[in-house]
Amino acid sequence: KQILLYGAGKIGAMLLEYFTNNGLPIDAVCDAGKCGEEIEGKTILSPKECTQKYSEALYIITVQNSGIASEISNTLFEFGISRSNILRYSNKDKTIVL
């Protein structure tokens, strides 16, 4: 399954590097505020671009503010991503959860 990171900030960059270095390539990174910029050699896509191109992918939200992460989750769902394909990364716990 394709894997995308939502959030190109400090945590997103750290996860992208970690996954890549451990043989789990990330297919794309999306971030509403950083579209067109690059992170670790990947061009950051808008949420709409990502959801159109990667409609069956797993999305890992790297944003740590729970209110904003919930908004992102709802936006992905509205763009057609299944709730079961929307995950969140907790930097505090170092885990990925539904």
Side-chain angles (χ1 to χ4, degrees), residues 24-96:
L24 185 63
I26 299 298
D27 293 285
V29 177
C30 62
D31 191 305
K34 297 186 177 187
C35 304
E37 295 179 27
E38 281 200 10
I39 181 172
E40 300 288 323
K42 294 192 177 291
T43 300
I44 300 167
L45 304 175
S46 73
K48 190 164 191 159
E49 286 176 292
C50 278
T51 54
Q52 288 174 344
K53 190 172 182 179
Y54 302 98
S55 61
E56 299 296 320
L58 289 176
Y59 284 76
I60 301 172
I61 299 170
T62 66
V63 175
Q64 299 302 292
N65 178 300
S66 62
I68 295 172
S70 290
E71 287 178 32
I72 292 168
S73 178
N74 289 335
T75 298
L76 291 172
F77 181 71
E78 288 169 10
F79 284 157
I81 305 303
S82 168
R83 288 269 186 217
S84 63
N85 285 353
I86 302 171
L87 310 170
R88 293 185 189 180
Y89 174 75
S90 168
N91 194 45
K92 178 183 174 193
D93 301 325
K94 308 291 188 234
T95 58
I96 297 172

